[in-house]
Amino acid sequence: MTAPPDDCLARNEWICGEYLSTRRQILLDAVVQHLQLTALSVLIALVIAVPLAVLARRWGWAAGPVLALTTVLYTIPSLAMFSLLLPVYGLSASLVVAGLVLYSLTLLVRNILAGLRAVPEETRQAARGMGYGPIRLLLAVELPLALPAAMAGLRIATVSAVSLVTVGAIVGFGGLGNLIYAGMNTYFKAQVLTASVLCVVIAVVADVLLLGVQRVLTPWERASRAARS
């Protein structure tokens, strides 16, 4: 009988400290790319979603088409979405970002619109009575009061984007997905598990950070909960 290999890499174990120490830079580069793709896509989607939700709130007839369009986009499988965008963006990081932006719009538009619709009409009337114009009313009253619903949508969109970035591995821009894809092809257990766990960690940390931001930006929510308790 031959002696078993003396390190976990040679034994191809799922949990391997040697993998972490020898591939540290590769993992760091993958995490950075994953974060960049996620943050850029969600930020662009947010910039597009806010005006769409505001227009849908102002013009009731626009709500149906806007929600229908974003819902249809969300139902397109990721591989099909990337294939449709390929002639426009080619094999680039922009292809992945564009796909993630389209997927994020559904979650963001729906939640921002729901938050705007939940603002009490008497609050709007009171603000108008104090001389608030449409822009000031939106920025000082409606959007702040819509923040809890909007932040809930942002948290879901961010976690979803963290997961969907991995699909970008099919075009070479998938962050940690590149390592997962390569590890599955070579049955490299430690690489698949480590990259997968890091994806989960990024999603959890992002969600917790956004929840913290939400609590800082909406102190009246804490006061309301404290009063009810």
Side-chain angles (χ1 to χ4, degrees):
M1 294 179 63
T2 57
D6 59 358
D7 67 84
C8 55
L9 280 176
R11 293 192 298 271
N12 193 26
E13 295 179 350
W14 286 103
I15 301 176
C16 181
E18 188 71 16
Y19 174 79
L20 295 175
S21 60
T22 57
R23 270 74 168 184
R24 185 175 305 165
Q25 190 58 48
I26 294 175
L27 288 169
L28 179 59
D29 292 342
V31 168
V32 169
Q33 185 183 78
H34 208 103
L35 292 174
Q36 289 174 336
L37 292 170
T38 300
L40 184 58
S41 355
V42 173
L43 180 59
I44 294 174
L46 186 61
V47 170
I48 298 173
V50 172
L52 283 178
V54 170
L55 290 176
R57 175 66 184 86
R58 287 282 184 267
W59 302 329
W61 61 266
V66 167
L67 292 176
L69 177 60
T70 54
T71 300
V72 168
L73 290 173
Y74 197 77
T75 61
I76 300 175
S78 53
L79 292 179
M81 177 72 80
F82 288 162
S83 298
L84 293 172
L85 296 173
L86 185 59
V88 179
Y89 296 99
L91 297 174
S92 65
S94 299
L95 172 66
V96 180
V97 171
L100 294 179
V101 167
L102 294 177
Y103 281 127
S104 300
L105 280 177
T106 302
L107 301 169
L108 291 173
V109 170
R110 282 186 175 277
N111 281 271
I112 296 172
L113 181 56
L116 291 172
R117 285 174 168 172
V119 177
E121 186 58 33
E122 56 267 24
T123 302
R124 291 191 178 92
Q125 294 296 339
R128 292 190 186 99
M130 295 171 62
Y132 281 47
I135 301 300
R136 189 181 178 192
L137 175 63
L138 174 66
L139 297 178
V141 178
E142 293 179 316
L143 286 179
L145 291 178
L147 265 179
M151 288 299 297
L154 181 60
R155 289 169 57 198
I156 298 171
T158 301
V159 171
S160 177
V162 170
S163 174
L164 287 172
V165 164
T166 57
V167 183
I170 62 174
V171 294
F173 294 93
L176 291 164
N178 293 338
L179 300 183
I180 296 173
Y181 184 72
M184 290 176 65
N185 285 337
T186 58
Y187 199 56
F188 193 173
K189 296 178 181 178
Q191 180 161 295
V192 173
L193 180 62
T194 303
S196 300
V197 169
L198 285 174
C199 283
V200 175
V201 170
I202 290 174
V204 171
V205 170
D207 188 55
V208 171
L209 287 176
L210 288 173
L211 179 60
V213 171
Q214 177 180 341
R215 290 182 175 177
V216 170
L217 294 178
T218 57
W220 61 86
E221 287 285 304
R222 298 197 304 273
S224 176
R225 286 195 296 268
R228 287 197 298 269
S229 62

